Amino acid sequence: MKIAVLSGKGGTGKTTVAASLFSCLDRCQYIDCDVEEPNGAIFLKPDLPVSCPVNVPTPRIDPAKCNGCGSCRSVCRFNAITVIKGRALLFPELCHHCGACLIVCESEAISEKDREIGIIETNSSGTFMHGRLHIGEPVSIPVIRALKRRLQEDIPVVLDCPPGASCAVVRSIEGCDYCLLVAEPTPFGLHDLNIAVQLVRKMGIPFAVVVNKASDTDRSVQKFCRQNGIEIVLEIPFSKEIAQEYSRGILPVVANPEWKKKFMELYTHVERGIQT
C-alpha cells in the first residue's frame, strides 16, 4: 500500500502528517520526495549511512564535428542549446535530458555524459530515504524517479510529496494507492487545496483531506469539502502545545499517546478506503 501525503502549498503540515503516520506503524517505509527541501529527517532522526549520486545524461558537443546547422537548437523545447556564429552552445542547467538533440544531429557531433544533479540518502534497512537536489539544479524529477525505484513492495510506504501541483508532485503520486491532502484553513490554503483536489481526481487516485491548524474561526475548508463530497478524515487543532513540540522536532504522536491512537485510526481508515 502506497500512501502519498501532499498539499497544494508549502507549510501546511504534510511532513507532520506523513512522519506521524510512519511513526505509528511497526513496519513501514518513509520516502521524502520533497527533494528541494527534505525535512522528514528532522523529526524522524534516522541514521543515514548510505548515500548514492543521482546522475542524468547531459549532451556534450564536439566542436570539430559540429557544422552549426541548428537542428539541435530547433528540437530543444527547453532552450538548452543555441547556435552562435555557427557553433552550438549548451546550457546544461536548462537541459531536461530527453535526448532529442542526440537523435537529430546528423553530423554525430553530440554525445552524452552523466552529470550529478543530486543524491539519495538512506538508512541501512532502506525504510527511510530522502533525496537532495543540488543547489542550482532546476529539474527534480530524476531524483524523485530514483527514489521511487527503491520502493519496498512488501510493506506499506508513506511518500512525503513536494508542495503544489507541479510535475514533481505528479511524479511523486503516480502509482500510489491513496492520497492524503493536507490543508490549512486560510484563503491561500483553500485555493491550493482546490488545485490539489483537481489533480488527484484527474489522476483517478482515491483521496481524503486532513485539516491542520483547525479552528472554529475559519471553517472554509470544511465547507468546501462538504460541498464537494470530500471526506475529512482528521482535524489537527491550532494548538500552542503542538507548535511548541514541533519547534523542537517532536511529532504530536510522540508527545501525546492520544495522537498516536488517532493516526492509527487514520491508517485503518485509509486501508479500508483502498480495499473498497
Side-chain angles (χ1 to χ4, degrees):
M1 185 166 65
K2 303 175 185 66
I3 305 169
V5 182
L6 64 151
S7 61
K9 63 181 287 293
T12 60
K14 61 182 176 56
T15 296
T16 302
V17 173
S20 294
L21 192 59
F22 169 78
S23 297
C24 291
L25 302 177
D26 293 331
R27 191 163 177 263
C28 182
Q29 185 182 32
Y30 177 94
I31 298 182
D32 196 337
C33 294
D34 189 2
V35 300
E36 293 185 42
E37 194 175 0
N39 58 1
I42 295 174
F43 303 97
L44 298 174
K45 303 174 179 59
D47 182 28
L48 301 173
V50 182
S51 177
C52 60
V54 177
N55 299 313
V56 293
T58 303
R60 183 170 55 177
I61 301 170
D62 185 348
K65 294 182 179 180
C66 178
N67 58 15
C69 69
S71 296
C72 54
R73 175 184 59 189
S74 300
V75 78
C76 183
R77 299 181 61 186
F78 305 101
N79 300 311
I81 300 179
T82 189
V83 178
I84 299 176
K85 295 183 178 180
R87 295 186 62 182
L89 179 65
L90 173 69
F91 301 95
E93 290 79 11
L94 298 179
C95 178
H96 280 56
H97 336 295
C98 67
C101 57
L102 185 68
I103 295 171
V104 301
C105 182
E106 295 182 356
S107 62
E108 299 182 349
I110 298 178
S111 58
E112 288 182 326
K113 181 180 180 181
D114 280 347
R115 184 171 67 87
E116 184 178 316
I117 64 165
I119 60 170
I120 289 175
E121 296 176 319
T122 179
N123 61 3
S124 56
S125 64
T127 54
F128 179 100
M129 65 179 67
H130 64 204
R132 291 189 181 277
L133 185 70
H134 289 335
I135 294 173
E137 292 293 341
V139 185
S140 62
I141 289 178
V143 182
I144 297 172
R145 187 186 299 122
L147 280 169
K148 295 191 71 176
R149 281 199 294 265
R150 292 166 170 80
L151 289 179
Q152 296 186 21
E153 299 293 338
D154 58 336
I155 57 175
V157 181
V158 177
L159 296 98
D160 187 351
C161 300
S166 65
C167 296
V169 179
V170 173
R171 174 62 68 177
S172 299
I173 69 175
E174 192 175 38
C176 287
D177 301 300
Y178 201 91
C179 288
L180 289 172
L181 310 186
V182 184
E184 61 180 18
T186 65
F188 285 120
L190 178 59
H191 174 271
D192 293 336
L193 171 63
N194 187 20
I195 295 174
V197 167
Q198 293 180 57
L199 172 63
V200 293
R201 281 181 167 166
K202 183 79 172 178
M203 296 183 69
I205 304 174
F207 71 97
V209 168
V210 175
V211 182
N212 190 31
K213 306 172 192 173
S215 69
D216 293 331
T217 57
D218 190 334
R219 306 290 291 178
S220 56
V221 169
Q222 289 85 342
K223 181 180 178 181
F224 168 81
C225 292
R226 187 169 58 252
Q227 291 174 341
N228 290 275
I230 301 168
E231 185 178 18
I232 295 177
V233 289
L234 182 66
E235 291 192 25
I236 303 172
F238 187 83
S239 164
K240 181 178 180 181
E241 290 74 23
I242 291 178
Q244 286 176 335
E245 296 294 342
Y246 186 85
S247 68
R248 290 193 283 265
I250 301 173
L251 295 167
V253 295
V254 176
N256 189 334
E258 281 298 312
W259 279 110
K260 183 172 183 178
K261 179 181 177 183
K262 290 180 180 180
F263 271 91
M264 284 299 300
E265 291 172 352
L266 170 63
Y267 177 78
T268 302
H269 187 93
V270 170
E271 196 172 31
R272 285 200 301 265
I274 293 173
Q275 292 172 351
T276 56

